[in-house]
Amino acid sequence: MLGLGSFAGIASAGPKEEDWNRTVDQAIAFLKKSQNADGSWGAAPRNRGITGVVVTGLLQTGRVGPNDEPVAKGLKFIESLVNPKAGHLAGPEAAVSLQNYVTCINVMALTAANQPEKYKAIVGDGVKFLKKLQWDDEEGAKEKDDIYGGAGYDSKSRPDLSNTQFFVEALREAGVPANDPSLQKALVFMSRCQNFKSEFNDRPWSGKINDGSFIYSAAGGGQTKTSDDPKNEVLSGYGSMTYAGIKSMIYCGVGRDDSRVKSAFRWIAKNYTLDANPGMPKELAERGLYYYYHTMAKTLSLLEIDEFVDDGGGKHDWRTDLTAALMKRQKADGSWTNANDRW
């Protein structure tokens, strides 16, 4: 399991077709009904990012194409967000704090449309913009600094693993190779977000827990989201960031047998669940739950894992487990809603 070579495929992996179809069709129907007249979803200005999430999701179901009305209108809205001067895809007078997330999300949406000739220039400009946001020599950050290589909300705010995982995935989806300097710089930052003391992480806190999990940010002496106490010094990791760390490292060319990946897999093997974002305290169990589902699914799909084996030897058809978790949380109108939490 630790080498990931023993994750064998299983013949009937995945949910029952009728379960998947019903769940997805209900969600698509909700999205079609809730689309705004301008092609976006959600209230302004958050519709600039939400629309990219929805368009990508619709396209990845395989049941809606780029020329079908809801997606075509959504893509047209995203095109209206192109800022030729700055290069980002966050719209005119975009809040600086949203430019990284929104540009990353919309780069992925345009890439998912699979119309490279139409969107090549826009995506290319988006990639150039994103690279400028990264904390590196141009921002006065040196490799020894805990902010080096990370991406934040903009080029001035501290970096974090959430912004950085979107940064990494957007660049990879846009065709940037794993050995690109921007991705290798990102790898330096991400390695320092792991509770794993090694040649890649010499931060003072790295060996205190040393369980392979990932925290929210290595900046400022480390930050996690398992507590709302700003004075909390216990930098425990949690599921969504641990999967984000694994996925992003793989995108950056790190092999499955790398000690960082193996250490992270030991943690998720001990914490396999679809009932909570593991690592969160009981009172915050559903904090970031759908973010966790999303990142978990992307990571295991990227690694071509069909059957997940936990540390007790239990075997899990994770796609079936995830579909069941979503089915029981889906509302009658086909939508899902986060728990009553600031996330």
Side-chain angles (χ1 to χ4, degrees):
M1 188 279 290
L2 297 181
L4 308 192
S6 61
F7 280 100
I10 48 181
S12 59
K16 294 179 180 178
E17 186 175 356
E18 58 267 30
D19 288 342
W20 190 88
N21 287 340
R22 182 172 62 256
T23 305
V24 172
D25 288 345
Q26 289 175 348
I28 291 174
F30 171 82
L31 292 170
K32 286 181 176 180
K33 288 188 295 185
S34 59
Q35 188 172 24
N36 298 324
D38 63 0
S40 70
W41 281 269
R46 292 185 178 184
N47 58 342
R48 299 178 183 189
I50 292 171
T51 301
V53 173
V54 173
V55 166
T56 305
L58 287 171
L59 288 168
Q60 290 184 344
T61 66
R63 302 172 82 81
V64 185
N67 297 318
D68 292 331
E69 184 176 355
V71 171
K73 288 175 64 178
L75 289 169
K76 189 173 181 180
F77 175 78
I78 292 172
E79 290 176 47
S80 75
L81 301 177
V82 174
N83 187 313
K85 185 176 180 179
H88 62 65
L89 283 75
E93 300 177 356
V96 173
S97 62
L98 294 176
Q99 290 179 8
N100 180 56
Y101 267 129
V102 176
T103 298
C104 288
I105 286 166
N106 287 332
V107 162
M108 288 189 275
L110 297 181
T111 303
N114 196 26
Q115 297 177 328
E117 293 308 313
K118 184 175 182 179
Y119 296 124
K120 183 178 180 180
I122 297 174
V123 169
D125 287 343
V127 167
K128 291 177 184 176
F129 172 81
L130 291 172
K131 287 184 177 182
K132 291 178 182 178
L133 296 185
Q134 187 175 33
W135 282 95
D136 55 17
D137 295 337
E138 290 186 12
E139 282 71 39
K142 304 301 179 184
E143 190 166 352
K144 64 179 177 62
D145 299 331
D146 55 17
I147 60 174
Y148 182 83
Y153 290 97
D154 55 69
S155 60
K156 304 300 180 184
S157 61
R158 61 98 186 94
D160 59 71
L161 183 53
S162 183
N163 272 290
T164 303
Q165 77 144 329
F166 275 88
F167 170 87
V168 168
E169 187 166 356
L171 263 57
R172 293 295 280 132
E173 289 292 321
V176 176
N179 62 357
D180 187 89
S182 61
L183 293 175
Q184 291 307 300
K185 291 174 187 175
L187 181 58
V188 172
F189 175 77
M190 294 184 298
S191 296
R192 290 171 175 165
C193 292
Q194 187 176 20
N195 276 308
F196 183 53
K197 192 171 183 61
S198 68
E199 62 182 296
F200 307 105
N201 189 1
D202 61 354
R203 305 297 100 169
W205 54 269
S206 62
K208 290 184 178 180
I209 297 178
N210 210 37
D211 61 0
S213 64
F214 281 76
I215 62 173
Y216 179 66
S217 180
Q223 182 182 3
T224 187
K225 295 293 185 180
T226 58
S227 171
D228 288 328
D229 182 359
K231 297 181 180 180
N232 178 48
E233 297 181 357
V234 180
L235 298 176
S236 53
Y238 51 107
S240 48
M241 285 300 96
T242 302
Y243 276 108
I246 295 170
K247 172 173 66 70
S248 300
M249 285 186 170
I250 297 297
Y251 276 135
C252 291
V254 175
R256 300 179 180 207
D257 288 328
D258 186 278
S259 60
R260 290 165 288 183
V261 176
K262 290 168 71 174
S263 176
F265 255 91
R266 281 194 289 269
W267 189 89
I268 62 173
K270 292 178 181 177
N271 292 278
Y272 179 87
T273 182
L274 277 303
D275 293 326
N277 186 353
M280 288 290 176
K282 186 176 180 180
E283 65 273 16
L284 300 174
E286 293 196 347
R287 170 171 283 184
L289 184 65
Y290 293 105
Y291 189 115
Y292 164 66
Y293 287 163
H294 184 83
T295 312
M296 172 188 181
K298 279 195 170 185
T299 304
L300 298 181
S301 295
L302 177 66
L303 292 169
E304 299 181 333
I305 293 171
D306 291 330
E307 187 175 73
F308 188 96
V309 182
D310 64 35
D311 73 330
K315 298 178 180 180
H316 305 272
D317 179 352
W318 66 267
R319 291 184 180 88
T320 297
D321 293 348
L322 177 55
T323 302
L326 289 169
M327 285 175 65
K328 73 180 183 180
R329 290 173 171 83
Q330 190 173 32
K331 294 187 174 183
D333 64 1
S335 69
W336 289 271
T337 305
N338 280 303
N340 186 22
D341 184 80
R342 63 190 178 88
W343 286 8

